[in-house]
Amino acid sequence: MPTPLHAPLASISRLRPLAVTLLMLAAIPVAAADRDRLDAFLEVTGFGVALDSIALSAADAPKMLGMSASDFGSDWARTAEEVFDTEEMRATALDILAQTLSQEDLTHAATFYASDLGQRLVEAENASHMVEDTEAKERKGRALVADMVEQGSDRLGILKRLNAAVDASDTSVRAVQEIQIRFLLAASAAGVTERRLDEGMLRAMMEENRDELRLRMKKSALANAAYTYRGFSDADLESYAEALEHPRMKRVYELMNAVQYEIMARRFEMLAARMAEMHPGQEL
């Protein structure tokens, strides 16, 4: 599934056979086997890989403090891996989804993603999600966008429809800023930084920079979409846009986005506490 956070995201080669997945989603009562149905949902939609890709965002933590991973010593990689444990993050997502995702919306989204087009999209999205060199990916995407602009291609409008559909309420900017705020405050409270941060001032600064961030994220999202869907026809992407604009799919995406944002925020707060154990405080 595409994500408005556009975190670096790799293809997953262990998807269940589609017939088995669809049978599971359709036949198992939610109350009796939430976990089995939701596990199948994570696989068939690709949301599980999107959750796994959150681990790649750990590299951004030192940068937000004006530092680098090397400042935290040889244990940094191990600590980041422990905090951003993919099994734990998936378990948290399943806990939330079991209480919030309706059977009707689950089945609607899973049915689309289990189709031939849906599975080709999931494969491409999974591969894009796990690309670690995000700068190279964005450069390639920007070049594709530039070509579309030069040619006056209708494809550009389709890609914008896709991005608008998965973030219909324009919540991604506020979510990214909230994750940053929670991390910085946690790092300050834990003593990772020598200077204590004032939450009010931090929020005011974020508010002042929100429009600039929104523009950067829209450009990045467009480049990401151009790269991710470069192998699809305009007709395929039109069909995808229509599917994403369905009310049930919109509800699913609002929930998926909220789950992903909350998991990221919690993990960054946990990482801040661990960072304080690894290195003495530094000026922010």
Side-chain angles (χ1 to χ4, degrees):
M1 302 177 85
T3 167
L5 280 182
H6 302 288
L9 291 191
S11 63
I12 190 166
S13 59
R14 298 187 296 277
L15 289 174
R16 302 173 190 266
L18 294 186
V20 175
T21 300
L22 284 174
L23 180 61
M24 180 180 295
L25 290 167
I28 300 177
V30 176
D34 278 341
R35 291 287 173 167
D36 287 340
R37 297 187 74 249
L38 290 171
D39 274 332
F41 175 80
L42 294 189
E43 289 191 26
V44 77
T45 62
F47 187 55
V49 175
L51 291 170
D52 294 345
S53 74
I54 292 174
L56 299 179
S57 65
D60 294 330
K63 297 176 186 176
M64 283 192 273
L65 299 172
M67 303 169 73
S68 67
S70 62
D71 293 322
F72 295 92
S74 59
D75 282 342
W76 167 259
R78 177 184 58 79
T79 300
E81 184 177 354
E82 289 175 357
V83 172
F84 288 84
D85 183 279
T86 55
E87 290 188 9
E88 290 183 3
M89 291 191 295
R90 285 194 180 211
T92 300
L94 291 174
D95 287 341
I96 299 173
L97 293 176
Q99 301 176 49
T100 55
L101 182 60
S102 74
Q103 178 175 345
E104 293 78 14
D105 288 350
L106 180 154
T107 301
H108 177 88
T111 299
F112 170 77
Y113 281 108
S115 67
D116 176 69
L117 173 59
Q119 282 296 282
R120 288 192 289 116
L121 288 163
V122 167
E123 182 179 2
E125 289 164 1
N126 286 348
S128 181
H129 285 335
M130 300 305 292
V131 172
E132 295 192 36
D133 191 347
T134 55
E135 292 183 3
K137 181 174 75 170
E138 184 158 340
R139 284 196 301 272
K140 293 176 182 178
R142 287 184 184 276
L144 292 170
V145 171
D147 288 342
M148 293 177 210
V149 172
E150 183 178 350
Q151 298 167 12
S153 173
D154 293 337
R155 188 179 183 86
L156 198 60
I158 303 172
L159 295 177
K160 290 180 179 180
R161 277 182 67 192
L162 292 176
N163 286 340
V166 298
D167 189 24
S169 301
D170 194 28
T171 59
S172 58
V173 175
R174 292 182 182 277
V176 167
Q177 290 191 323
E178 187 63 26
I179 291 167
Q180 292 173 337
I181 289 169
R182 287 173 62 173
F183 169 70
L184 292 172
L185 291 175
S188 175
V192 181
T193 61
E194 292 180 351
R195 186 178 64 179
R196 295 300 295 267
L197 293 177
D198 179 85
E199 182 175 353
M201 292 181 62
L202 184 58
R203 290 189 178 279
M205 181 182 69
M206 291 287 185
E207 176 72 30
E208 185 176 336
N209 295 330
R210 185 165 294 152
D211 289 341
E212 180 184 351
L213 176 61
R214 179 178 289 106
L215 181 59
R216 291 205 311 269
M217 287 181 65
K218 283 185 178 296
K219 289 181 177 179
S220 177
L222 192 58
N224 181 73
Y227 174 88
T228 301
Y229 305 117
R230 63 195 183 280
F232 291 83
S233 68
D234 288 0
D236 283 341
L237 297 184
E238 286 273 11
S239 296
Y240 195 19
E242 291 175 5
L244 292 175
E245 289 165 350
H246 190 283
R248 286 196 180 279
M249 193 74 90
K250 284 186 176 182
R251 285 199 297 271
V252 169
Y253 266 88
E254 287 176 1
L255 181 56
M256 298 300 99
N257 293 339
V259 169
Q260 188 172 10
Y261 299 149
E262 180 58 25
I263 289 174
M264 287 189 73
R266 291 183 191 180
R267 292 290 153 173
F268 270 97
E269 287 174 330
M270 292 170 60
L271 183 61
R274 296 289 298 274
M275 291 168 77
E277 300 169 0
M278 298 166 64
H279 198 275
Q282 294 289 324
E283 185 66 37
L284 183 63

